[in-house]
Amino acid sequence: MRWVFHLFPASSGNLGWRGPDQGQILHHPMAMNPLRRPVFRAAAPAAALFFAFFVVSAPSLRADSAPTPGNGPSVLTISGKGEVSIPSTHVRLDLAVEHRAPTSAEAQAEVSRRANAVTALLREAEVSELKTTGLQLFPIYERQQPRPGGAGDAGDAQRIAAYQASTSVSFLVPVEKAGELADQAIRAGANRINRFQLTATPQAIRRAEDEAVRRAARDALDRADLLLGAVAMKRDAVLRLNLSEAPVFPMHRGMEMRAMAAADAIQIEGGEETVTAVVTAEVSFRPAKD
């Protein structure tokens, strides 16, 4: 609502204003007193200046000029999760050859002979990711017995009784070949299994990671739509995405490794592993009626 002030000629003796309804003029009571009319004539120029200043300088209050809390969009942060299970089609084996001998040279020579035979077998089988993972040589000590009539503390002395050498190799092989190949490697000279892990190929894991990311992104946006719809809002734009990938943990469901009869190879059954990704999304939103 805005009042508009009107000034009338001094001869009329009236000073008043009209309301927004443009109805009758409201007169100041002093303007109707003829005895004081000369006073208004003299004061009319000053009053005109006063009311003109008031009308020009008074602010106009409008809804669009009212202060607002901020001009930035309303933002929702939400996370989604994606999981993909893939079969463990391969086995990662780490086989070792160990030998103990009276001298270090004898221990190393025997380990080298057996390890070369195992490596040749694995290369012939065309395993993948074949590499040496360990090489050790260390003495084996034993307590020396005191000699009759010797010093009393001679029993604390130690001497080198033998040397132990070892080497290990790791490789990746399909599940259906792992049992038979491990059995052949043991007959060729390997005498210890350091690690046995069911896994998928790197290519299969990468494809699963990509699919897990897609599922996580869709899950985040679906959850955002569900949450906003419950409060009569709707998603406007995706402002930011952040990806967190979880490490791949082999899932040994259904895995079995058992030694059969002497003439049979080790039987290995594959399992599954799960690839997980988490996507955090920031989305702007607005009322659904807009």
Side-chain angles (χ1 to χ4, degrees):
M1 180 179 294
R2 186 173 179 180
W3 290 95
V4 180
F5 293 88
H6 297 272
L7 295 178
F8 299 93
S11 59
S12 66
N14 293 326
L15 178 62
W17 56 89
R18 289 185 185 272
D21 56 354
Q22 300 298 316
Q24 62 180 353
I25 298 175
L26 303 178
H27 298 278
H28 195 283
M30 294 179 63
M32 303 303 296
N33 191 340
L35 297 178
R36 298 187 179 182
R37 191 171 299 170
V39 177
F40 272 94
R41 288 195 185 97
L49 290 176
F50 171 77
F51 285 110
F53 175 80
F54 182 84
V55 173
V56 172
S57 62
S60 177
L61 297 179
R62 299 179 182 176
D64 56 0
S65 64
T68 57
N71 296 324
S74 299
V75 177
L76 170 68
T77 301
I78 196 165
S79 296
K81 184 178 180 181
E83 290 185 344
V84 177
S85 295
I86 54 177
S88 300
T89 57
H90 285 66
V91 176
R92 190 176 300 279
L93 279 171
D94 191 298
L95 302 179
V97 176
E98 291 181 339
H99 182 69
R100 183 179 297 185
T103 66
S104 61
E106 291 175 325
Q108 285 182 306
E110 182 62 18
V111 165
S112 295
R113 184 186 68 80
R114 295 184 184 181
N116 290 338
V118 172
T119 302
L121 171 69
L122 298 177
R123 286 176 177 168
E124 185 179 355
E126 297 182 348
V127 299
S128 57
E129 301 183 20
L130 176 63
K131 60 182 178 181
T132 300
T133 56
L135 182 63
Q136 289 184 327
L137 175 65
F138 54 89
I140 305 297
Y141 290 92
E142 68 177 14
R143 181 171 297 178
Q144 187 174 358
Q145 297 297 327
R147 290 176 297 178
D153 59 351
D156 295 333
Q158 292 184 339
R159 69 178 184 88
I160 297 177
Y163 288 87
Q164 181 165 310
S166 67
T167 185
S168 58
V169 293
S170 70
F171 57 93
L172 193 67
V173 63
V175 170
E176 60 272 15
K177 297 181 179 180
E180 181 180 357
L181 189 59
D183 186 66
Q184 293 175 357
I186 291 173
R187 288 199 295 265
N191 50 14
R192 192 179 76 227
I193 298 178
N194 289 335
R195 184 175 64 164
F196 171 85
Q197 181 184 7
L198 286 169
T199 184
T201 62
Q203 296 80 4
I205 293 176
R206 182 53 189 267
R207 289 193 296 268
E209 289 174 344
D210 293 344
E211 179 60 25
V213 170
R214 283 190 287 267
R215 293 184 183 183
R218 288 196 298 266
D219 183 52
L221 297 182
D222 289 345
R223 295 179 66 189
D225 292 339
L226 178 64
L227 181 61
L228 293 173
V231 292
M233 296 288 177
K234 66 178 179 180
R235 175 164 50 93
D236 193 14
V238 178
L239 304 179
R240 183 178 300 174
L241 292 172
N242 184 45
L243 172 63
S244 300
E245 292 179 313
V248 179
F249 294 104
M251 304 296 291
H252 299 299
R253 293 192 294 267
M255 183 201 74
E256 291 184 5
M257 182 176 180
R258 55 192 177 91
M260 304 297 289
D264 295 332
I266 299 172
Q267 300 296 314
I268 299 175
E269 298 294 334
E272 284 187 343
E273 54 189 292
T274 301
V275 179
T276 303
V278 176
V279 170
T280 301
E282 291 185 7
V283 299
S284 60
F285 62 92
R286 53 191 171 89
K289 62 182 180 180
D290 290 351

